[in-house]
Amino acid sequence: MPGRQRMRNPHQPLSVDLVEIGDHDLGLVHDLHELVGRRQALRLLGGASLAVLAGCAATTQSSGSSTTAGAATATTNAAGASTSAAGATSSTGATSSTASSTCSSIPNETAGPFPGDGTNGPNVLKESGVVREDITSSIGSSTGVADGVPLTVKLKIVDSKACAPLAGAAVYLWHADAVGRYSMYSQGAADQNYLRGVQAAADDGTLQFQSIFPSAYDGRWPHIHFEIFTDTATATAAGSALRTTQLALPEDACKIVYTDKRYSASVANLARTTLTRDMVFRDGTALQMATVTGDLTRGFVAELNVAI
């Protein structure tokens, strides 16, 4: 199950201003060789997705998209089909079928230049309190809280060979805040460690985090990083991770969230970025595109089935 080893840039500075596109890509360009030629299996899937807590047998999934007057609502299925609007009333339905005799492994991806797992400077995994569901606040001596549209991230971790839940598997998850900063590294957030945490999978392989919707910063499609470990006892440094990867967030949900004034820079950044140009997702997102539901009033939920 362990994924390929990730390349790291030992010269990456520990405090980085995320305004410049080059700052985001420093970790990616060194890992591009990992992206070339991978996901042969995805071409056979023809874009079908295993996302959304679907189980591993042949299934049929239905998802709808609706909006109500005065509120923006989105439901986006794993294939990316969705509709959204604000201040109007409409609804549509989308149905996608996923059939597979095995659980296809999510691809290994770069952790980027801001992992906080000990491979590039600071290591939050050794902090007391890092095993937590709510990752919006900092822990230890830091007291900062990340502000943004609420997002619940729900993952189901599955053994790709046995096609069965990986009970007890631990996930370390992290992402950027509403203005594109990574805690522990970025100017203005280097003394914080919010939006980073560890959770263990239940007997059915499921776990969740309470967070905020990440921004779209220059050079990258909106995404969330995570590493998977055998259990919480081994989730102390990235060297023992079974898999390092990223999930993508669907465009329609992002556009709704980015109408919130706290994400003002994300509007232009998203407009300049496409999945086909993104250094991580340009070779396909069939196993990495989360299903997102919710609205600006209640918050959003992102779900992804993750096989390793």
Side-chain angles (χ1 to χ4, degrees):
M1 284 192 299
R4 298 187 297 273
Q5 293 295 315
R6 305 176 271 143
M7 299 296 293
R8 295 291 183 187
N9 181 0
H11 304 295
Q12 174 65 35
L14 299 185
S15 179
V16 183
D17 188 344
L18 294 183
V19 174
E20 297 297 324
I21 183 171
D23 292 334
H24 301 300
D25 295 336
L26 282 176
L28 295 175
V29 293
H30 293 286
D31 292 289
L32 282 178
H33 71 280
E34 292 188 11
L35 304 178
V36 178
R38 65 172 173 76
R39 287 189 235 175
Q40 296 292 331
L42 295 189
R43 297 186 179 92
L44 300 178
L45 289 176
S49 175
L50 295 178
V52 194
L53 304 184
C56 303
T59 60
T60 299
Q61 301 170 347
S62 297
S63 64
S65 176
S66 63
T67 60
T68 56
T73 306
T75 300
T76 306
N77 67 10
S82 65
T83 60
S84 61
T89 301
S90 64
S91 69
T92 63
T95 301
S96 64
S97 295
T98 299
S100 177
S101 59
T102 62
C103 292
S104 300
S105 295
I106 194 168
N108 215 38
E109 303 287 12
T110 176
F114 315 109
D117 58 8
T119 58
N120 187 17
N123 186 359
V124 75
L125 296 176
K126 293 186 177 181
E127 288 281 345
S128 176
V130 72
V131 179
R132 63 206 180 122
E133 181 176 318
D134 189 338
I135 62 174
T136 55
S137 61
S138 293
I139 56 176
S141 60
S142 299
T143 58
V145 177
D147 186 31
V149 173
L151 175 69
T152 300
V153 181
K154 295 184 176 182
L155 304 177
K156 182 173 183 179
I157 312 302
V158 176
D159 183 333
S160 62
K161 293 181 180 179
C163 208
L166 275 177
V171 171
Y172 164 48
L173 181 143
W174 74 97
H175 61 79
D177 64 16
V179 294
R181 301 176 303 188
Y182 280 87
S183 67
M184 305 177 72
Y185 294 87
S186 303
Q187 183 177 350
D191 59 345
Q192 303 299 327
N193 51 34
Y194 55 60
L195 305 183
R196 299 178 185 272
V198 175
Q199 277 285 279
D203 289 345
D204 62 356
T206 62
L207 56 88
Q208 70 177 34
F209 294 90
Q210 301 297 329
S211 190
I212 64 166
F213 208 97
S215 61
Y217 56 76
D218 208 0
R220 283 300 317 276
W221 187 263
H223 62 283
I224 294 175
H225 297 266
F226 60 100
E227 294 175 333
I228 304 171
F229 298 82
T230 302
D231 50 39
T232 55
T234 59
T236 58
S240 57
L242 302 173
R243 185 63 49 90
T244 299
T245 191
Q246 301 179 26
L247 68 78
L249 294 163
E251 181 176 12
D252 286 349
C254 293
K255 285 183 175 179
I256 292 174
V257 172
Y258 297 158
T259 62
D260 186 295
K261 63 182 180 181
R262 291 170 290 185
Y263 294 85
S264 58
S266 293
V267 176
N269 289 335
L270 183 65
R272 288 193 294 266
T273 308
T274 64
L275 282 167
T276 55
R277 294 174 59 189
D278 184 85
M279 283 186 164
V280 171
F281 300 128
R282 64 187 178 189
D283 56 353
T285 59
L287 300 176
Q288 293 171 279
M289 180 63 72
T291 294
V292 173
T293 57
D295 57 50
L296 289 173
T297 301
R298 298 171 298 168
F300 291 81
V301 177
E303 299 179 82
L304 186 69
N305 194 75
V306 180
I308 61 171

